Amino acid sequence: MERTFVMVKPDGIDRRLIGEIIGRFERRGLRIVGLKLLRPDRSLAERHYAVHRDKPFFGELVEFITGGAVVALAIEGPQAITLVRQMMGALKPEQAAPGTIRGDYTTDIQANLVHGSDGPETARAELDLWFRPGELLD
Ligand code: GDP
């Protein structure tokens, strides 16, 4: 059993796609074990995207993610990290396959609706960053 951190980004809230996105993960059989709606402050956003600190798009990315509310999710299931990544679709719009969240609903490399941890260590770190222990189901 694995846990991963997932975020519905501000464009997902603006476009009224929270239910659609969470519903896809639930219908797959994955279990929601943590969930909150919040507007991340700059410090949280910068820590979340610290790996991209030196990229030219970092400033724009932090502005985007702090520009509205997001839904933070802890999602559990067998191979949850990999399954979520597959269901999200690729980063580059032209590589995001139809049937994936990004492939079905997005054309933009930044406003791409959803984040999911890319590996076990990232998942642990991101869950620790966004949730306190008592906020997740056992
Ligand atoms: P992900 O794991 O598929 O989300 O991709 P990355 O970890 O590489 O990038 C994190 C996020 O940064 C992406 O989901 C986008 O929102 C944003 N991003 C990545 N590459 C670019 C880029 O070239 N330009 C801009 N503006 N945003 C980007």
Side-chain angles (χ1 to χ4, degrees), residues 8-19 21 64 69 113-114:
V8 182
K9 299 183 184 184
D11 54 327
I13 283 73
D14 289 347
R15 294 179 56 193
R16 315 321 194 230
L17 288 172
I18 296 172
I21 292 166
F64 167 60
L113 293 176
V114 66

Side-chain angles (χ1 to χ4, degrees), residues 9 49 52 57 60-61 85 88 91 102 109-110 112 115:
K9 299 183 184 184
Y49 280 125
H52 295 303
F57 57 83
E60 195 191 346
L61 180 57
R85 293 286 298 183
M88 281 166 48
L91 173 67
R102 290 172 174 173
I109 196 164
Q110 179 177 267
N112 55 14
H115 166 87

Side-chain angles (χ1 to χ4, degrees), residues 112-124:
N112 55 14
L113 293 176
V114 66
H115 166 87
S117 309
D118 63 4
E121 280 168 29
T122 321
R124 259 190 300 277

Side-chain angles (χ1 to χ4, degrees), residues 34-107:
L35 186 159
K36 57 183 159 185
L37 178 76
L38 72 160
R39 184 161 180 172
D41 61 18
R42 174 166 292 272
S43 155
L44 177 58
E46 288 181 350
R47 277 179 288 157
H48 175 76
Y49 280 125
V51 66
H52 295 303
R53 198 183 301 112
D54 298 326
K55 305 271 174 61
F57 57 83
F58 181 70
E60 195 191 346
L61 180 57
V62 169
E63 289 298 317
F64 167 60
I65 222 72
T66 57
V70 305
V71 178
L73 297 154
I75 294 188
E76 183 183 83
Q79 302 187 81
I81 297 167
T82 306
L83 297 192
V84 164
R85 293 286 298 183
Q86 285 174 349
M87 292 174 73
M88 281 166 48
L91 173 67
K92 293 186 178 167
E94 72 276 19
Q95 292 173 5
T100 64
I101 294 165
R102 290 172 174 173
D104 284 348
Y105 296 112
T106 71
T107 57

